[in-house]
């Protein structure tokens, strides 16, 4: 019998949050296609693993709706916000509390604004936070890279979308592992 590290992601303790991936800003994000593929992969893997997902929209009147590829996979309606941090939206925090999950997997845009402020606020509220660096993005490399360093220094765990998916999966040989491996293989072909 192995004892799981308290530092590992667990499907029964994790909630996925997709922050503000909206039509008007998303095309300006560096490596937008890759960021989108990785978020879609996370959403698909989390669905297989029964990890709940939630999304938000920052001022949709100005930034438009969530990109269709993600909107189709997220529960709707998506909470709208004006504050940069998703923690300013009571329903987001309430969903996390009701689920009883203490680890939040955060993806979305922009790394140095809404993602970072959300991560810092989640950490301050006692959540463990995992940020897949290939599933967050910004317009400029310096902002993205600096925000990743700041979040890590504050206590967020950095990784990748694939690391998160297979850490949540735990072991090979299961039906879930095979489904996620298949999705991952398809994603690699698209790159």
């Amino acid at each position: 019998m192995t004892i799981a590290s308290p530092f590992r992601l667990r499907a029964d303790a994790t909630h996925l949050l997709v922050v503000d991936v909206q039509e008007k800003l998303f095309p300006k994000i560096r490596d937008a296609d890759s960021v989108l593929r990785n978020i879609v992969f996370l959403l698909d893997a989390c669905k297989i693993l029964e990890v709940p997902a939630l999304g938000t929209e920052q001022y949709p009147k100005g930034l438009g709706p969530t990109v269709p590829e993600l909107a189709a996979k997220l529960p709707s309606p998506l909470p709208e916000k004006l504050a940069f941090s998703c923690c300013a939206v009571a329903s987001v925090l309430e969903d996390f509390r009701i689920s009883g999950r203490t680890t939040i997997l955060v993806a979305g845009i922009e790394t140095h604004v809404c993602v970072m402020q959300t991560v810092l606020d989640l950490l301050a509220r006692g959540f463990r936070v995992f940020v897949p660096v290939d599933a967050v993005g910004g317009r400029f490399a310096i902002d993205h890279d600096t925000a990743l360093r700041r979040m890590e220094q504050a206590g967020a765990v950095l990784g990748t979308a694939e690391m998160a998916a297979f850490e949540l999966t735990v072991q090979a040989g299961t039906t879930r592992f095979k489904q996620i491996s298949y999705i991952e293989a398809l994603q690699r072909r698209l790159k």
Side-chain angles (χ1 to χ4, degrees):
M1 181 173 121
T2 59
I3 298 174
S5 165
F7 302 107
R8 287 182 41 182
L9 289 171
R10 290 187 8 239
D12 64 347
T14 302
H15 209 296
L16 173 61
L17 176 62
V18 179
V19 180
D20 308 341
V21 184
Q22 294 164 249
E23 288 181 347
K24 289 187 181 175
L25 182 58
F26 193 64
K28 298 175 183 174
I29 299 301
R30 288 177 52 251
D31 300 320
D33 290 341
S34 178
V35 171
L36 182 61
R37 272 194 308 275
N38 288 317
I39 296 172
V40 167
F41 172 64
L42 281 173
L43 282 163
D44 290 343
C46 284
K47 182 176 182 181
I48 291 165
L49 296 166
E50 299 177 13
V51 171
L54 177 65
T56 60
E57 291 181 335
Q58 175 73 26
Y59 186 60
K61 289 179 187 172
L63 296 177
T66 296
V67 297
E69 298 90 338
L70 301 182
K73 296 176 181 287
L74 289 165
S76 65
L78 297 177
E80 296 179 13
K81 62 190 185 62
L82 289 175
F84 296 125
S85 174
C86 295
C87 292
V89 181
S91 65
V92 169
L93 291 175
E94 186 64 18
D95 279 357
F96 296 157
R97 284 191 193 100
I98 289 170
S99 76
R101 294 164 187 257
T102 56
T103 301
I104 312 299
L105 179 60
V106 181
I109 66 170
E110 276 195 88
T111 312
H112 66 294
V113 185
C114 297
V115 170
M116 185 186 72
Q117 290 184 37
T118 298
V119 166
L120 295 175
D121 287 350
L122 288 168
L123 290 167
R125 285 169 171 77
F127 289 98
R128 291 182 58 238
V129 182
F130 187 100
V131 180
V133 300
D134 55 351
V136 295
R139 290 168 292 154
F140 306 105
I142 192 165
D143 293 323
H144 173 78
D145 296 342
T146 302
L148 291 174
R149 284 196 312 273
R150 185 166 173 206
M151 288 185 283
E152 185 174 40
Q153 288 171 348
V157 177
L158 303 186
T160 66
E162 186 172 326
M163 286 171 66
F166 287 111
E167 193 170 327
L168 289 165
T169 304
V170 181
Q171 67 183 31
T174 66
T175 301
R176 290 176 172 183
F177 169 79
K178 291 174 184 174
Q179 291 172 318
I180 292 169
S181 293
Y182 177 75
I183 294 167
E184 190 272 335
L186 285 177
Q187 178 189 25
R188 293 274 181 222
R189 284 189 214 136
L190 296 173
K191 287 185 178 178

